[in-house]
Amino acid sequence: MTDIIIVGAGTAGLTAAIYAVRAGKSAIVFEANAYGGQIINTPDIENYPGISHVSGFDFATELYNQATGLGAEVKFEGVASIKVDGDKKIVTTTAGNSYEAKAVILATGAKNRPLGIEREEELVGKGISYCATCDGMFFKNKVVAVNGGGNTALEDAAYLADLCSKVYLIHRRDQFRGDAADVEKLKKKGNVEFVLNSNVTRLIGQDKVEAIEVTNKLSGDTTRLDVAALFVAIGQVPDNGAFSNLIDLDEKGYIAAGEDCLTKANGIFTAGDCRTKSVRQLATAAGDGAVAASAACHYLG
Ligand code: NAP
């Protein structure tokens, strides 16, 4: 039986693995996709203490190598369910394999929030993207749009402005949620146009995105913007439904847990963006990983 199973190989999960193995516990990390979580798509991290600049990919790779080098095992299988049998936790993966652990840390992160408009799903990969650094190159020298007003949207717009001929940044309010410094940087770029108080209301194009319709919330006016792609960056939603039999979720679906990373279930802990918290940052994800693993080690005795 493994001491600690960690669900999610993002910053929180891999940090938890580092703390677990360094405390002498065995740890397996399960990951449904690639290691690194959301940060892997950030071109340049400049707010992680002690590192002035690093790409998300390099950061995640170093973290992965650090955790596995110290002895954590990473299995690329999604977790479908967890059952508690006395002190034993039985983790079943989407591949149908079962693993047993004494403690579990849920570090499932969050996934991109879809716009929820017609044809969005159909046009993913055909002009609809949720990742500017992954897909931006496909639209080199073309006109594109970014939707959102948080840090991700601002970073995406900056990244795309260096690659594309023009970037429309569409936001539903006239104030950005993301950092003011990043807004100022965008204003200095010659090819970024802010489309404020507006929502994307229609996707236009036969087999791929050729244009979008944008509706101004104040006037009700609609405008057609000819773009080759729309990058959706309107935040994240959690994906914890599979564990709601064991732990409480808040009204938005995040795991109800405080800064101590404890859930209501004995021996089940949580870390990172998947839990209720006000600041979802790389530094807080790493902090959570340390807290959750320490709590799990204390629980194991
Ligand atoms: P976010 O901060 O939650 O921002 C989401 C944005 O999308 C908001 O501006 C929101 O508008 C808008 N929005 C939400 N639902 C919408 C809808 N249905 N239609 C249109 N617009 C919608 O998300 P994020 O930018 O992905 O960032 C997530 C977290 O990661 C944040 O804590 C952020 O600070 C952090 N992050 C940090 C960095 C960094 O520090 N380098 C980089 C990226 C992300 P309203 O403003 O009107 O609510």
Side-chain angles (χ1 to χ4, degrees):
M1 189 186 306
T2 306
D3 288 326
I4 305 175
I5 281 182
I6 298 162
V7 186
T11 300
L14 290 173
T15 304
I18 290 170
Y19 274 74
V21 292
R22 290 195 77 251
K25 308 297 182 196
S26 57
I28 304 181
V29 185
F30 286 92
E31 172 56 58
N33 302 304
Y35 66 75
Q38 294 169 58
I39 200 63
I40 208 144
N41 298 321
T42 296
D44 184 23
I45 302 164
E46 56 176 34
N47 59 1
Y48 193 79
I51 306 175
S52 310
H53 286 280
V54 64
S55 76
F57 179 79
D58 287 349
F59 178 86
T61 303
E62 190 62 32
L63 188 56
Y64 175 84
N65 290 338
Q66 188 181 3
T68 52
L70 285 165
E73 194 181 341
V74 179
K75 285 188 183 288
F76 290 96
E77 289 179 59
V79 169
S81 67
I82 301 174
K83 268 194 207 151
V84 175
D85 178 8
D87 282 345
K88 194 165 67 181
K89 281 87 192 163
I90 304 158
V91 173
T92 304
T93 67
T94 47
N97 300 318
S98 284
Y99 300 83
E100 291 179 1
K102 296 175 191 160
V104 169
I105 297 174
L106 298 171
T108 52
K111 60 181 186 183
N112 297 314
R113 173 182 285 124
L115 266 176
I117 59 172
E118 238 176 276
R119 302 191 63 210
E120 181 177 6
E121 248 180 76
E122 171 203 331
L123 293 169
V124 171
K126 298 168 187 158
I128 292 290
S129 170
Y130 302 87
C131 177
T133 49
C134 315
D135 300 330
M137 268 306 282
F138 298 125
F139 304 99
K140 199 170 179 203
N141 298 326
K142 298 198 167 150
V143 181
V144 300
V146 174
N147 190 192
N151 279 323
T152 305
L154 299 178
E155 284 185 2
D156 285 0
Y159 178 81
L160 292 166
D162 292 340
L163 207 58
C164 302
S165 58
K166 175 163 184 157
V167 179
Y168 292 105
L169 177 56
I170 302 154
H171 178 38
R172 65 182 177 183
R173 292 188 293 134
D174 62 354
Q175 297 291 315
F176 286 101
R177 183 173 292 277
D179 295 349
D182 289 337
V183 178
E184 289 312 308
K185 276 187 204 166
L186 284 179
K187 283 182 184 164
K188 291 194 181 102
K189 302 218 180 245
N191 60 345
V192 178
E193 183 176 332
F194 293 172
V195 182
L196 301 178
N197 296 312
S198 299
N199 282 317
V200 178
T201 40
R202 200 155 68 92
L203 304 173
I204 302 161
Q206 194 81 9
D207 304 317
K208 58 182 174 95
V209 173
E210 287 162 15
I212 55 176
E213 178 193 82
V214 171
T215 302
N216 185 295
K217 283 170 62 183
L218 306 180
S219 65
D221 292 346
T222 59
T223 311
R224 176 189 162 116
L225 302 177
D226 289 319
V227 296
L230 172 65
F231 290 86
V232 180
I234 59 168
Q236 278 86 39
V237 282
D239 193 9
N240 298 313
F243 315 117
S244 60
N245 59 321
L246 297 173
I247 41 122
D248 285 337
L249 303 180
D250 69 17
E251 70 286 352
K252 289 184 177 157
Y254 292 98
I255 297 170
E259 295 300 319
D260 56 12
C261 296
L262 305 180
T263 72
K264 73 165 190 189
N266 227 7
I268 300 189
F269 306 85
T270 182
D273 283 5
C274 63
R275 79 168 175 88
T276 305
K277 53 162 48 190
S278 53
V279 183
R280 292 193 169 84
Q281 291 282 304
L282 199 54
T284 60
D288 269 18
V291 171
S294 303
C297 292
H298 183 72
Y299 166 81
L300 295 175

